[in-house]
Amino acid sequence: MTNYKELIANMTLEEKASLMSGENFWNTKQIDRLRIPSIMLTDGPHGLRKQGGKADHLGLNKSIPATCFPTAATLANSWDLELIQEVGSYLGKEAASEQVSVLLGPGLNIKRNPLCGRNFEYFSEDPYLTGKLAANMVKGIQSHGIAACPKHYAVNSQEHMRMTIDEVVDERALREIYLEGFRYAVEEGKPKTIMTSYNKVNGEYANENHHLMQDILYGEWDFQGVAVTDWGGSNDRVEGLKAGNQLEMPSTGGITDKEIVEAVQTGELQEEVLDEAVERMLQLIFETTNALQDTEKVDYEEHHQKAIEAARKSIVLLKNDKATLPLKKEQKVAIIGDFAENPRYQGAGSSLINPTKLDNALDALQATDLAIIGYEQGFKRFGGKSESLKKRALKLAQEAEVVLLFLGLDEGSEAEGIDRADMKLRDNQLELVKELANVHDHIVVVLSGGSAIEMPFAEDVQAIVHGYLGGQGGATAIRDVLLGDYNPSGKLAETYALKYEDIPSAPYYPGLEATSEHRESIYIGYRYFDTKKVPVLFPFGHGLSYTEFAYSDLRVSEQSATFTIRNIGEVAGEEVAQLYIKPTNASVFRANKELKGFIKVHLEPGESKEVKIELDDHAFSYYNSFHHCWSIETGSYEIQVGSSIDDIRLSAVVEVQGDDTEHHYNKEALKPYYQADVHHIGDEAFHQLLGWTPPNPLWDRKAKLGYNDTIAQGKYKKGFGKLLYIVVLLAKKFLFFIRKPLLANNVMFVMNMPFRQIPRFSQGKISEKMVDRVLKLINFW
């Protein structure tokens, strides 16, 4: 780190404090006297959202055109580290060309539950896959000298009440599941910034949590960059600064700058702590500003082609009975479904990109040699019955040899600020596919959406292609896969359960009021399904190809696994080989097996390659929460290699000499965890696992509301509090009714915002005195 101590010595206390928060919504403050420039931070994570006009947090006001790449949930299905780094580089190039110093991404929170409204922005349910992908995206973005900003650190597992919810999680799950991806991103990607989350973690707001910040981020991982709050995510500004959260965004109109100055003057905050924070900020400011002096011009058509390539490599062929796909040119094809003409290609909220161009599947398919006999919308996009749309679709289908049915989640179903109500598609879509299946035997479902869904129609259709949210070129990529111009190679980065009730966190998700208890502990996604042997619709790592691959010649050691893959089919293709490690005699409760390596290999027909997967320091370890360290038990470990977690082709046993640090688990008290019976975790077992008793998960209905409470809590009050809650709720419902889901989600942002943030977010336009009056009115009854 460059030494800026001389520059800091020439700064006034007020100038130092001024660098700790924004000048406006997207920029830091500049200090002209000392020639310290302002820098811009703006949203990613799958494209540049630089707003040209009025700024907002949830993507309501239009941004300048930029390439909309596939979202993280989509890219994760590629399992392609090189591709992810290339996409990151393209993102970094566009950001640099627009003089953006910090691109806010990638998002890498763990998909604890498929209902999280922001899952489309996150990579996977698995921390190893998440971390490896995130680290490579960080490298790509920062290859242009700007800063990537992994987010949201940490345990941001739900959107409901995200600004106040307390995520209660045991130390082992915290380290093995929720922080491990961030560890890889920090240690391997070396990001210049990191964004803290809104929520509390075990009683402390994330950006004030000394365990997360000082012990782990700066201590164990040796993070050298700047920690920035999520927008409006600061609780106690001084406590956040002490913990190591340097930059607060957006501007608070100077409110928190004064708090920092006063804290130094009264001795509450040591000036040395502020000086270190300023030095980190100066490093970020000057390093990125210098990199922006000489930027390359962006070829947006080239970037569009890269977006198409990224989408192609991320498409997952879930089912393909009787080799229905690829389509044959002489077949008469009917195209049905609103998503064919109006693509759902990205999420909603702060990641909303204004694409430079946008492909749609209907146009892309009509431009081919396919014998397309017509198109019908089939259903209303946002739900609701329409017999006329359905009848026309059924009539068209009866005239076709193959039906391409485009289904998916609409823009109001998954978005920042609100969680999904269920894992289902809209009823009108399910009704349509059911009736089509009654009159047609050759249906190909093409799915859009960023989260796992239930598929009651899976047995009734011949093929299922999932494009997830493929960005602006996703429709062209779908066309290429349907026609066989590209052989699909995507593999699911998350498990698809048969029904929502099977999800391990289902009984506990979301935390409704004060806390969200992670009673399922380490049993997230496949760690639960594979251990408990619960049947699933599609397993983790699943994805079909138009060719077949054979595995052979496995050789293993504690350091690596080497094996051969051969393409035994008739077309070229790519295979994602996955390596799982199964402890055979563990004395601590563990998942049956865990992903610890993967590699993507391109093979021509008949070609074979020997590949090697390296194993890292954490391959055999678990986190020992009693001794606060990673431990390895001596014993046998089975190394399994295959095409998915349920399609293991090769296995071998390796003997590992561990450290045998004592674990101190009470097996009888933790019996449900040893049996992976996580749907029935009682208080005794959960509290034993935590090592402490968590607070009441519900709000105190009788307590007076204060600065850390929300409008949502007014529902339990009388008079003005109840009225305020009802007005905001009605506003949300009305906006959904008139098909304005983005505005409706913005209302929820207000509903769940702590009163303390109102003066800061309004930059003092709504004063603390005004908030005090509102709280007085609410508490009057």
Side-chain angles (χ1 to χ4, degrees), residues 5 13 151 196 342 345 369 462 469 478 504 612 646 716:
K5 288 183 171 49
L13 177 58
K151 60 183 186 180
T196 53
N342 303 296
Y345 61 98
D369 293 334
Q462 275 58 57
L469 299 176
I478 288 288
K612 185 176 184 179
D646 281 0
Y716 298 116

Short mmCIF file of all heavy atoms in Angstrom, two decimals, residues 5 13 151 196 342 345 369 462 469 478 504 612 646 716:
data_model
loop_
_atom_site.label_atom_id
_atom_site.label_comp_id
_atom_site.label_asym_id
_atom_site.label_seq_id
_atom_site.Cartn_x
_atom_site.Cartn_y
_atom_site.Cartn_z
N LYS A 5 0.67 8.97 4.36
CA LYS A 5 0.67 9.59 5.67
C LYS A 5 0.96 11.09 5.62
O LYS A 5 0.40 11.87 6.39
CB LYS A 5 1.69 8.88 6.58
CG LYS A 5 1.23 7.49 7.00
CD LYS A 5 2.19 6.81 7.93
CE LYS A 5 1.62 5.52 8.52
NZ LYS A 5 1.04 4.62 7.54
N LEU A 13 -9.39 17.52 10.45
CA LEU A 13 -10.24 16.45 10.95
C LEU A 13 -11.52 16.37 10.12
O LEU A 13 -12.00 15.28 9.79
CB LEU A 13 -10.57 16.70 12.43
CG LEU A 13 -11.53 15.69 13.09
CD1 LEU A 13 -10.97 14.28 13.01
CD2 LEU A 13 -11.78 16.10 14.55
N LYS A 151 -20.18 -8.65 -2.81
CA LYS A 151 -21.24 -8.28 -1.87
C LYS A 151 -22.17 -9.49 -1.67
O LYS A 151 -22.15 -10.41 -2.49
CB LYS A 151 -22.01 -7.07 -2.41
CG LYS A 151 -22.67 -7.29 -3.78
CD LYS A 151 -23.35 -6.05 -4.30
CE LYS A 151 -24.11 -6.35 -5.59
NZ LYS A 151 -24.78 -5.16 -6.13
N THR A 196 -20.51 -4.47 2.69
CA THR A 196 -21.15 -5.12 3.82
C THR A 196 -22.66 -5.17 3.61
O THR A 196 -23.22 -4.40 2.83
CB THR A 196 -20.83 -4.39 5.13
OG1 THR A 196 -21.17 -2.99 4.99
CG2 THR A 196 -19.35 -4.50 5.47
N ASN A 342 -41.36 -11.47 -25.61
CA ASN A 342 -40.92 -10.47 -24.63
C ASN A 342 -40.03 -11.15 -23.60
O ASN A 342 -40.51 -11.64 -22.58
CB ASN A 342 -42.13 -9.84 -23.94
CG ASN A 342 -43.08 -9.21 -24.93
OD1 ASN A 342 -42.72 -8.24 -25.61
ND2 ASN A 342 -44.30 -9.75 -25.04
N TYR A 345 -34.92 -11.46 -19.27
CA TYR A 345 -33.49 -11.67 -19.48
C TYR A 345 -32.62 -11.17 -18.35
O TYR A 345 -31.41 -11.37 -18.34
CB TYR A 345 -33.06 -11.00 -20.78
CG TYR A 345 -33.28 -9.50 -20.80
CD1 TYR A 345 -32.24 -8.62 -20.51
CD2 TYR A 345 -34.54 -8.95 -21.08
CE1 TYR A 345 -32.44 -7.25 -20.50
CE2 TYR A 345 -34.74 -7.59 -21.08
CZ TYR A 345 -33.70 -6.73 -20.79
OH TYR A 345 -33.91 -5.37 -20.78
N ASP A 369 -34.20 -21.55 -40.75
CA ASP A 369 -34.87 -22.39 -41.76
C ASP A 369 -35.94 -23.29 -41.16
O ASP A 369 -36.50 -24.14 -41.86
CB ASP A 369 -33.83 -23.26 -42.48
CG ASP A 369 -32.87 -22.44 -43.32
OD1 ASP A 369 -33.27 -21.33 -43.75
OD2 ASP A 369 -31.72 -22.88 -43.51
N GLN A 462 -41.46 -33.50 -23.32
CA GLN A 462 -40.34 -34.31 -23.81
C GLN A 462 -38.98 -33.70 -23.51
O GLN A 462 -37.99 -34.41 -23.34
CB GLN A 462 -40.49 -34.52 -25.33
CG GLN A 462 -41.40 -35.68 -25.70
CD GLN A 462 -42.80 -35.51 -25.12
OE1 GLN A 462 -43.46 -34.50 -25.39
NE2 GLN A 462 -43.25 -36.45 -24.33
N LEU A 469 -31.59 -16.39 -16.69
CA LEU A 469 -31.72 -15.01 -17.15
C LEU A 469 -30.48 -14.71 -17.99
O LEU A 469 -29.43 -14.35 -17.46
CB LEU A 469 -31.84 -14.06 -15.95
CG LEU A 469 -33.06 -14.31 -15.05
CD1 LEU A 469 -33.05 -13.38 -13.84
CD2 LEU A 469 -34.37 -14.15 -15.83
N ILE A 478 -30.46 -19.35 -26.92
CA ILE A 478 -31.50 -20.39 -26.87
C ILE A 478 -31.74 -20.96 -28.26
O ILE A 478 -31.85 -22.18 -28.46
CB ILE A 478 -32.81 -19.81 -26.29
CG1 ILE A 478 -32.67 -19.56 -24.78
CG2 ILE A 478 -33.99 -20.72 -26.59
CD1 ILE A 478 -32.66 -20.80 -23.93
N PRO A 504 -34.42 -27.74 2.93
CA PRO A 504 -34.01 -27.89 4.35
C PRO A 504 -34.36 -26.68 5.22
O PRO A 504 -34.68 -26.84 6.40
CB PRO A 504 -32.49 -28.10 4.26
CG PRO A 504 -32.10 -27.67 2.88
CD PRO A 504 -33.28 -27.92 2.02
N LYS A 612 -6.56 -32.96 -14.62
CA LYS A 612 -6.11 -32.99 -13.23
C LYS A 612 -6.82 -31.91 -12.45
O LYS A 612 -6.90 -30.76 -12.88
CB LYS A 612 -4.59 -32.77 -13.16
CG LYS A 612 -4.00 -32.90 -11.76
CD LYS A 612 -2.48 -32.75 -11.83
CE LYS A 612 -1.84 -32.96 -10.47
NZ LYS A 612 -0.35 -32.83 -10.53
N ASP A 646 -25.34 -36.77 -8.38
CA ASP A 646 -26.03 -38.06 -8.42
C ASP A 646 -25.54 -38.96 -9.56
O ASP A 646 -26.11 -40.03 -9.79
CB ASP A 646 -27.54 -37.84 -8.58
CG ASP A 646 -28.20 -37.45 -7.27
OD1 ASP A 646 -27.50 -37.36 -6.25
OD2 ASP A 646 -29.43 -37.24 -7.28
N TYR A 716 -48.69 -3.52 14.35
CA TYR A 716 -49.09 -3.94 15.68
C TYR A 716 -49.46 -2.77 16.59
O TYR A 716 -49.74 -2.97 17.77
CB TYR A 716 -47.97 -4.76 16.33
CG TYR A 716 -47.64 -6.02 15.57
CD1 TYR A 716 -46.40 -6.20 14.98
CD2 TYR A 716 -48.59 -7.02 15.41
CE1 TYR A 716 -46.11 -7.36 14.27
CE2 TYR A 716 -48.31 -8.18 14.71
CZ TYR A 716 -47.06 -8.34 14.13
OH TYR A 716 -46.78 -9.48 13.43
#
